[in-house]
Amino acid sequence: MADYIYLLETRLSPAQQRAIGTIRTVAREFDTTVFLTGGAVRDLTGGGSIRDLDLTVQGDVSRLKNPLTSAGAEVVGENPTASQLFLVFPGGVRVELSSAVSVTWPKPGKPQYEPGNITDDLRRRDFTANAMAISLNEGSYGLLMDPLNGVADIENRELRLVSNYGFIEDPSRLIRMTRLIARLGWQMEEKTRQRYETAKEEGYISALGDWSRGYELEEIFHEEDPVRVLRALEAEGWVTALYPALSSAKANTAALSDLHERQGQLQMQSILSQPAAVAFPLVTAKMSATEVAQLKAMFVRPGFVREIDTLDARTKDFATQLSAKDVAAPSAAWRMLHASEPNLILATAYGSKSAPVQARLKTFLTESPNARQRIPYSLLTEMRITQDLPIYAELLDKLFFELMDGKLSTPEEMKAFLEPYSPPAPPPPVNLRRARAKKEARPSRAKAKKAAVTVAAEEENAGLESGLTEVGDLTGPDRGPEPTPRTPISKVAPEPTPVKVVAPKKAAPVAPVVVKAASAAEPKPVAAKKVAPPAKAAPAPVVVKKAAPVKAAPAKAVAKKAVPPAKAPAKAVAKKAPVKVATKKAAPVKAAAKKVVAKKAVPAKKAVPAKKAAPAKKAVPAKAGKKAVPAKKSGRR
């Protein structure tokens, strides 16, 4: 649904908004609610131009007459029977102000009015598109009232009767239907069309009252294109019922076309005129004076007749004022034109033959748009002259007038003109430095990586000292996952104490020591640790070299971890599997006591071939005076 508050603020002209504001103020003083109704709501919803305003108050409208006159409105007509006032506000705004009434029709064309509320008033209207209202009251401003779903008919561009007996009750609705179709280009709803055709055939138009006849005749001249409406009425046969002397053939169509062109040029400069009084002598150009006088006598608004009769004299006076020396400057002429009555400006632009007047009007229509486009908005922003300044609107007008008069032609002149209005530059911002909070030091990725490598190197060095690792096991390319820096070395599993071998100067050859698997009766030895071989290391074949003869010693053998044989899967060393240790030929050494790191020592026995051979590593020769290499510890943790 449309936002009617926005439409009221944007679709109405400033003069129309001022007129509505005046009526709202007066109605509030009398504690009366007021609504915008009729064709104005229809045109707001459908997107048409707002030609005049229809307002309805809940109460006696006659009480508002004097206050509105004091506020600047002119009463141009009145219909006491229907409680209607016809007003003209400054700027040429036509307003029809009515009381909310309930209507009954005892006879065709003879209505009876009684006070009612706004809903009763909407339900007694002619078509659903005209039976809508917008609240103008505090607390409900912009609220749409549409009891007969007129919005749907506006969207379909259809005219639908509110009552099935609408054409019988008020025959003037036949004329209004034709007039609206000619103006809007809409069509009749199907059932409404059937009733319309029936009304034509039955001659319902014969019951047309005098007041309705005069109202519809006057509305023809208030149309934007009265000749087109006249032709439509003639085609339907309604002109005969209105006033037979009136005809589209008697109008000066060429002059009307010129008048509409001048009206459009003035509209581009925000001069919104109502050309009815100016167009009247052109529409009746070929009618006799008697016929024109009779036509004027039928109008329901005496003020409209006065405007027609006094138009020529007022146009001459206005032309004299416009050609005076005090309005020779374009800016002075601009001020005068915008402060004058729009209809009078249109009549002067069309009918005046004075060369100075036409020259100033031409300057107004051509120079003022160019001056408006030359306003240097970028320079205004550069000089800190923005809309926030109280004098911004006034300054724009002054600048506009100076440009229109040709006094500011260069950027330097514009800057000099604007310099007194430029506010001083703001002081530089104070830079208050605050002590930055100390952030917890976090090692970078490179440092973390370096720390991880350092921990791996420390563990590898510890393993080298204990004889469990070799160079590259923990830091080489085939190492396992990096140890985290947070894992302290102290938490690494305890390593077995290496066995020291003291090599004497002369050693007798000894037989190889073979460790036999423990029997079921003997206590089971505890393996030091299950170690898997490196993932990427290729299994080396078992090489058994001839052991050097050494003197037998009652020492306990230490089982070394051996490299698995070729094509053998990497498995952990079995707890019960005996390990055969082959020693390399070495210098004869004295027997030294060897200790096995185990919970319970098992005495060595004669060599017994193991059922499953454990992987053996290539034997390392024992040199005199050096430590024997213990079992290798895997690089994976």
Side-chain angles (χ1 to χ4, degrees):
M1 183 176 290
D3 184 355
Y4 286 95
I5 296 179
Y6 174 78
L7 293 177
L8 289 171
E9 294 176 353
T10 57
R11 293 287 310 284
L12 298 179
S13 68
Q16 290 173 335
Q17 292 179 3
R18 288 192 296 268
I20 289 179
T22 302
I23 296 174
R24 290 182 64 195
T25 302
V26 174
R28 194 181 304 115
E29 293 175 356
F30 285 87
D31 196 18
T32 303
T33 54
V34 59
F35 302 86
L36 183 68
T37 55
V41 181
R42 178 198 65 224
D43 294 335
L44 275 177
T45 306
S49 59
I50 316 301
R51 302 169 52 256
D52 49 19
L53 301 175
D54 296 336
L55 285 89
T56 302
V57 297
Q58 292 189 138
D60 187 5
V61 73
S62 61
R63 297 188 302 164
L64 309 181
K65 180 178 179 180
N66 292 333
L68 290 175
T69 304
S70 302
E74 179 188 357
V75 179
V76 295
E78 189 173 358
N79 184 8
T81 305
S83 299
Q84 288 179 314
L85 290 176
F86 300 99
L87 308 170
V88 175
F89 282 81
V93 180
R94 297 171 56 240
V95 176
E96 183 177 328
L97 187 63
S98 308
S99 295
V101 293
S102 176
V103 184
T104 57
W105 305 87
K107 292 183 179 181
K110 304 292 183 180
Q112 290 185 356
Y113 301 95
E114 294 182 0
N117 54 35
I118 185 61
T119 304
D120 297 333
D121 190 85
L122 295 178
R123 292 186 179 278
R124 62 97 179 173
R125 292 181 176 260
D126 46 11
F127 310 118
T128 57
N130 295 337
M132 299 188 299
I134 298 175
S135 174
L136 302 178
N137 308 291
E138 297 294 334
S140 61
Y141 184 78
L143 178 65
L144 176 68
M145 301 181 64
D146 185 13
L148 301 173
N149 197 19
V151 172
D153 291 327
I154 292 174
E155 291 177 354
N156 295 330
R157 300 174 65 84
E158 290 182 341
L159 291 173
R160 183 194 305 266
L161 280 174
V162 170
S163 170
N164 294 335
Y165 307 100
F167 293 135
I168 300 175
E169 295 169 345
D170 187 1
S172 66
R173 293 170 180 170
L174 294 168
I175 301 172
R176 198 172 308 139
M177 172 71 76
T178 304
R179 180 164 54 83
L180 290 177
I181 290 177
R183 185 208 304 172
L184 303 174
W186 292 9
Q187 60 184 0
M188 284 182 277
E189 184 263 338
E190 185 59 32
K191 291 184 178 179
T192 301
R193 176 176 292 278
Q194 295 175 3
R195 294 184 175 93
Y196 179 85
E197 297 296 336
T198 301
K200 284 179 64 177
E201 295 175 359
E202 299 294 333
Y204 292 168
I205 194 66
S206 60
L208 183 66
D210 294 338
W211 193 92
S212 297
R213 180 180 289 105
Y215 180 85
E216 291 299 331
L217 276 172
E218 186 177 340
E219 286 299 312
I220 295 174
F221 293 93
H222 287 290
E223 291 287 340
E224 294 180 359
D225 191 351
V227 175
R228 181 175 62 183
V229 173
L230 265 176
R231 289 170 179 169
L233 292 173
E234 289 172 348
E236 295 295 323
W238 306 132
V239 175
T240 304
L242 289 172
Y243 188 61
L246 184 63
S247 172
S248 60
K250 297 180 179 180
N252 188 346
T253 55
L256 285 171
S257 178
D258 188 16
L259 177 65
H260 291 153
E261 182 179 355
R262 294 296 182 95
Q263 181 188 7
Q265 292 175 352
L266 292 173
Q267 280 183 335
M268 296 295 293
Q269 305 306 317
S270 302
I271 304 296
L272 305 178
S273 58
Q274 297 287 344
V278 185
F280 180 82
L282 303 179
V283 176
T284 60
K286 299 178 181 179
M287 293 175 60
S288 64
T290 304
E291 293 173 342
V292 172
Q294 292 176 353
L295 180 62
K296 290 179 182 179
M298 298 174 67
F299 290 163
V300 297
R301 299 181 181 93
F304 180 57
V305 178
R306 290 195 301 270
E307 182 181 4
I308 296 172
D309 295 340
T310 61
L311 183 62
D312 291 340
R314 292 188 298 121
T315 301
K316 291 179 181 180
D317 293 340
F318 181 77
T320 302
Q321 297 175 11
L322 188 58
S323 61
K325 293 182 179 181
D326 55 349
V327 291
S331 60
W334 191 94
R335 291 189 185 94
M336 177 184 175
L337 290 171
H338 275 276
S340 303
E341 182 183 346
N343 295 345
L344 200 57
I345 299 172
L346 176 62
T348 304
Y350 171 75
S352 177
K353 305 299 182 181
S354 173
V357 169
Q358 293 297 331
R360 292 181 182 179
L361 286 172
K362 183 177 180 181
T363 301
F364 170 76
L365 295 174
T366 57
E367 292 299 326
S368 57
N370 296 334
R372 185 73 68 180
Q373 294 176 359
R374 294 199 304 270
I375 295 178
Y377 291 101
S378 58
L379 181 60
L380 292 171
T381 305
E382 180 182 345
M383 300 181 69
R384 299 174 298 280
I385 301 175
T386 60
Q387 296 180 0
D388 300 335
L389 296 178
I391 61 169
Y392 184 78
E394 181 182 354
L395 179 59
L396 282 184
D397 290 339
K398 290 181 179 179
L399 183 60
F400 170 64
F401 295 143
E402 294 292 324
L403 292 171
M404 187 185 301
D405 294 339
K407 296 180 180 180
L408 302 177
S409 56
T410 63
E412 291 76 11
E413 294 176 349
M414 294 182 187
K415 192 170 184 179
F417 175 79
L418 295 172
E419 189 63 34
Y421 305 97
S422 178
V430 179
N431 189 6
L432 298 176
R433 283 197 166 187
R434 297 181 180 179
R436 301 182 67 179
K438 293 183 179 180
K439 296 183 178 179
E440 182 182 354
R442 296 182 179 178
S444 61
R445 292 184 179 179
K447 290 182 179 181
K449 185 175 181 181
K450 185 177 181 182
V453 173
T454 303
V455 173
E458 289 179 2
E459 292 190 359
E460 183 176 302
N461 292 336
L464 289 174
E465 293 178 1
S466 62
L468 297 178
T469 61
E470 292 183 354
V471 177
D473 286 346
L474 297 181
T475 60
D478 295 331
R479 65 183 182 275
E482 296 290 352
T484 59
R486 298 180 182 177
T487 306
I489 301 176
S490 60
K491 291 187 179 182
V492 181
E495 302 294 338
T497 305
V499 179
K500 296 182 179 181
V501 179
V502 179
K505 294 180 180 179
K506 292 182 181 181
V510 294
V513 181
V514 179
V515 181
K516 183 181 178 182
S519 61
E522 297 173 347
K524 297 180 182 180
V526 179
K529 196 175 183 181
K530 290 184 181 181
V531 180
K536 297 183 180 180
V542 179
V543 179
V544 181
K545 289 191 178 183
K546 188 175 182 180
V550 294
K551 189 182 285 188
K556 296 175 182 179
V558 179
K560 282 190 178 182
K561 299 173 186 176
V563 180
K567 299 184 181 179
K571 295 183 180 179
V573 179
K575 292 183 179 180
K576 297 183 180 180
V579 179
K580 186 174 182 180
V581 180
T583 59
K584 212 172 183 182
K585 186 174 182 180
V589 295
K590 290 183 180 181
K594 297 183 179 180
K595 296 180 182 180
V596 179
V597 180
K599 292 182 180 179
K600 294 183 180 181
V602 181
K605 290 191 177 184
K606 294 182 181 181
V608 178
K611 293 181 180 180
K612 294 183 180 179
K617 190 179 179 182
K618 187 176 181 181
V620 180
K623 293 184 181 180
K626 291 190 177 181
K627 298 177 182 179
V629 179
K632 181 181 177 183
K633 182 181 177 182
S634 172
R636 294 189 176 272
R637 300 183 55 200

